[in-house]
Amino acid sequence: MKVLIVKTSSMGDVVHALPVLSDIKVNFADCEIDWLVEEPFADIVRATSLVRKVHLCKVRKWRKAPLSRQTQYEVTLLRQALKSEQYDLVIDLQGLYKSAILARLASSPVAGYDFSSAREGGASLFYNKKYQVSRNKSAVMRCRELAAKVLGYSLPLDDPDFRFDKVQHSVSPEGRKDLSNSENQEEDSQRTVIFFVNASRKTKLWPEDYWIALGKKLAEQGYKVILPWGSQEDLQRVNRIATGIGKASEVLPHSSIGQLMKRIFSSSLIVGLDTGMTHLSSAMGVPTVGLFLDYPIELVPLVGKGKKIALGGVGTCPQCEEVLQAVSEVLK
């Protein structure tokens, strides 16, 4: 059997869909699984050996110039690539108009959520097979349940399995040393904390003075605080926080998701907002503290085999002492 998974964005959504791969392989060991994803998030899917081929789309770019020759050319190439694979089935785990339309490019049978279950109900009109999955379940469970119903196996009751084996193998003890510039490289890599302080919505942000206070406390305990960033606005924020923390902090150069995944694996702790990078860190099994300020934790809980604590929720703002206590718990 040859299956195409469609889950294009956003980063957290792609992460939450990954356990479907292990579920399918447990029930159909010989199944070949490909994945269609937005180009910026491809490193996440490439990090697992369970995916045979990764197809890229650029919907965010295409939307800016849908009628341009370049857009039409790139869409045509994608359609040809998908059709040439002759998939037995396409599973749209996203449930949006854009993902449903992309799924149809493969010219294969498409399965997805029914009208009441899809995030955009009308997307179900594009599916050949439709299944009901409660929207009150977590993102991970919705994906796992849909795949189980589509392929006809029992919904697994075990914890979700995130198979980031390619990254794990690339960050060996020797590889960990290469990620650090200090004289005592191995020790430094084991005492690194990454702060993911940026988010797409301002309502998700934790106060900068809280980050600075937390960073200083961790610096006193011998940790080095690493600050990644994406946009220029993000860079300004991390520079302010790094200045407040002092010499124990480092602002990273602009990094790809793949580069950040290696950093995550070589770190002792992640503290981050309710964003894709924090959910990715937890899924990778690294001790993680997540700060939720505007979204229900139960719908997008931190998942993964490592120690993890999610704080906050809708309309809340975790206090520094609360976060420090959580840090102590996940580092025990």
Side-chain angles (χ1 to χ4, degrees), residues 87-106:
Y87 293 107
D88 297 298
L89 185 65
V90 179
I91 306 177
D92 179 10
L93 294 178
Q94 199 151 9
L96 300 176
Y97 283 112
K98 69 172 183 179
S99 59
I101 293 171
L102 288 168
R104 292 299 295 265
L105 293 179

Side-chain angles (χ1 to χ4, degrees), residues 7 14 39 82 90 108-110 147 160 174-175 191 228 233 242 276 281-282 290 302 304 330:
K7 190 73 164 182
V14 174
E39 190 173 36
L82 295 179
V90 179
S108 299
V110 181
E174 290 302 314
R191 300 288 291 177
E233 182 180 355
S281 302
S282 178
L302 297 179
V330 299

Side-chain angles (χ1 to χ4, degrees), residues 244-313:
I245 295 173
K247 294 182 179 179
S249 65
E250 176 188 349
V251 175
L252 286 184
H254 193 271
S255 307
S256 68
I257 291 177
Q259 291 169 328
L260 288 176
M261 290 177 76
K262 293 181 179 181
R263 282 277 185 176
I264 290 167
F265 260 130
S266 66
S267 297
S268 301
L269 170 70
I270 308 298
V271 183
L273 304 174
D274 171 27
T275 65
M277 292 308 307
T278 304
H279 287 282
L280 177 60
S281 302
S282 178
M284 291 169 69
V286 178
T288 302
V289 175
L291 309 180
F292 291 69
L293 280 79
D294 75 344
Y295 202 77
I297 295 174
E298 61 272 15
L299 294 183
V300 284
L302 297 179
V303 287
K305 295 181 179 180
K307 292 184 178 181
K308 53 203 174 288
I309 294 178
L311 301 174

